[in-house]
Amino acid sequence: MSSLTPLWPFATVLLVIHSCYSFPTDLSTSPELQVDASVSAQVCTHVRSILGIIFLCLVSLVACSWNAVHPNIPGVDEGRWIIWLRRVLIMVLVVITPELLLVWVLQQFTSAGSAARAFNEWRAASVTGSQYEAWNRTHGFFAEMGGFQLYVNGVSYCPLTVGELTRYIDRGAVTVPPITEEEIRDRSKNDGFNKVLAVSEIVWFFLQFLVRVAYKLPPTLLEIETLRLIMLSFITWGLWWKKPKDVHRPYRVEWKLEESPAELELGTATRHGLVDALIRPIISASRLHAINVVSESAVKARRVSTFHSGCLDQRVAYSKQDRKTLLLLTGATVLFGSVHFFSVIYPFPTPFERRNWFFCTGALLSLPLIFSCGACFRSDEDFLPAKPMSWIIEFLLAAVTLFYLCIRLITFILLVQSFQTLPSGALQVVCWITSVPHLFS
C-alpha cells in the first residue's frame, strides 16, 4: 500500500470545509422554521457557524473512532509513520462503511473465542499444556492479532497461529513461558484519561443534539449522520473491548531446533489487495474456504494482515450460536440506523431532496439485514453442497455490497449539498446549553 493512500481523506475534509465555509449564511434566504413562542424565548439571537458545526462533528467522530479502533500488532521493523497511517485508514473505513466493518469486527471476536477454546482443548489433552493457565478471549485476541512472533537465529520470522504455537510446543521446538491476562493488558495502551476525554466530548454531542430536538431546532443532516456513526462505533468498541489496544511489540518466541521451520500460514502470501483482504471475508461471512488471506506487504513486514479475520489454520463455519450473534448485531445496526428518523423534522428545501434522503435512509436500514440473512444462509453446512445456488447467493451478496457503497456515496453528496440551504433554525442555539462547560466549544 502506498504511503500516500491514506492522505486522501484529509484532502476531502479540507475540500468539504472550504466548500461549506463559502456557502451563504444569510438567514433571510434560508428556509424558515416555525418555532413555538415558548421555545423561541429560549433561543439565542446569535447563531452558530457552519464551520463550527463541521468541527464539532469531526472532533466527535475522531474521538470515538480513535478509541474504538484496535489495530493488529505492526511489523517489528515498521516505523511510527506507517503505523499511524494504517490506523488512520481503518478510522476512515469505520466512517465510510461502519456496517460492513462491524461484520469484520464480529469475525475477529468469534475467532478470538475459537482460538481460546482451541488452546484450552490442547492444554487439557497435552502433558506440556498443564503448566499454562486457561486462556480467555483476551489471550485469543492477542494470538490472533500476531502476539506470538517466531524468531529463528535471532531474526524475526513471522507470527504464529494458535495451532502452530501448540504444535511446536509439543515438539519442543519453542518454549513459551506462561503469559497471563494481566501481562497482556500491561502491553496494551488503553489510556483511561484519553477515554474520559473522548466520552466527555461524545456525551456533550449527545446532549446538545437532544436539546435541539427537544426545543424543535432541527439538527443538520451532518449531525444526524455523525450521531449514527458514533453509536455504531460504540458496538465496535464493545466487541473489541478485550482486544489489546496499540500493542507495538509481539511476544518473542525463540526457535530452538537446528532445522528451519516449515512454511507457516501467516508467512505465505496467497491473496493481495484490499478487495481480497476485506470484501471477500465480509461477503462469505463464514470463513468456509481454506484460503489464507495474507497480503504480500504483511508477509514482507512479518505481521498479521490489517484485515485478518483469524482462524487461518482451520476450516471454520459459523455455528448456530454465531449466526444468532450476527443477526443480533444486525438488529443493533438497524436500531442505531433509525437515528436517521430524526431527519423527519428537518425542513428540506425541495421534495426531491427529501425523497432522495429517505430512500438512502431506508436502504441503509434494510441492506444490513438482507446482507446478514444471506450470509447466515450461505454459512449453513446443509446448504454447502448446492454449489450453483451457493455461488448465486455469494454473487448477490457482492451486488448488495456494491449497492451499499453507492448509497453511502449518495448520502455524502446530499450531506454536502445540505449546507447550501440550511434552515435558520439549524444555525440557532438554545441559550442555556451554551453555558454548559465542554471541550472544543
Side-chain angles (χ1 to χ4, degrees), residues 356-374:
N356 286 342
W357 177 260
F358 282 105
F359 171 78
C360 293
T361 299
L364 292 175
L365 288 175
S366 60
L367 287 180
L369 185 59
I370 297 174
F371 183 88
S372 297
C373 290

Side-chain angles (χ1 to χ4, degrees), residues 288-289 315 378 383-394:
L288 293 174
H289 308 289
R315 186 174 182 269
R378 174 69 178 82
F383 180 70
L384 286 178
K387 284 295 183 182
M389 280 299 297
S390 175
W391 292 335
I392 292 174
I393 293 295
E394 189 160 338

Side-chain angles (χ1 to χ4, degrees), residues 92-102 278 404-405 408:
V92 171
L93 290 175
V94 168
V95 173
I96 295 176
T97 60
E99 292 90 353
L100 296 184
L101 284 182
L102 280 176
L278 178 61
Y404 166 83
L405 295 176
R408 292 294 297 160

Side-chain angles (χ1 to χ4, degrees), residues 219 277 334 362:
V334 173

Side-chain angles (χ1 to χ4, degrees), residues 66-88:
W66 184 266
N67 286 276
V69 171
H70 291 52
N72 291 332
I73 298 177
V76 293
D77 298 324
E78 289 185 322
R80 292 182 179 272
W81 183 242
I82 296 297
I83 297 173
W84 186 81
L85 288 178
R86 188 180 298 123
R87 174 74 171 270
V88 172

Side-chain angles (χ1 to χ4, degrees), residues 110-123 133-141 143-144 162 311 314:
T110 55
S111 294
S114 299
R117 287 192 298 270
F119 183 88
N120 291 334
E121 291 173 0
W122 166 82
R123 174 178 173 270
E133 69 173 23
W135 277 15
N136 55 26
R137 199 176 296 273
T138 300
H139 292 87
F141 270 126
E144 294 293 292
V162 176
C311 293
Q314 52 185 317

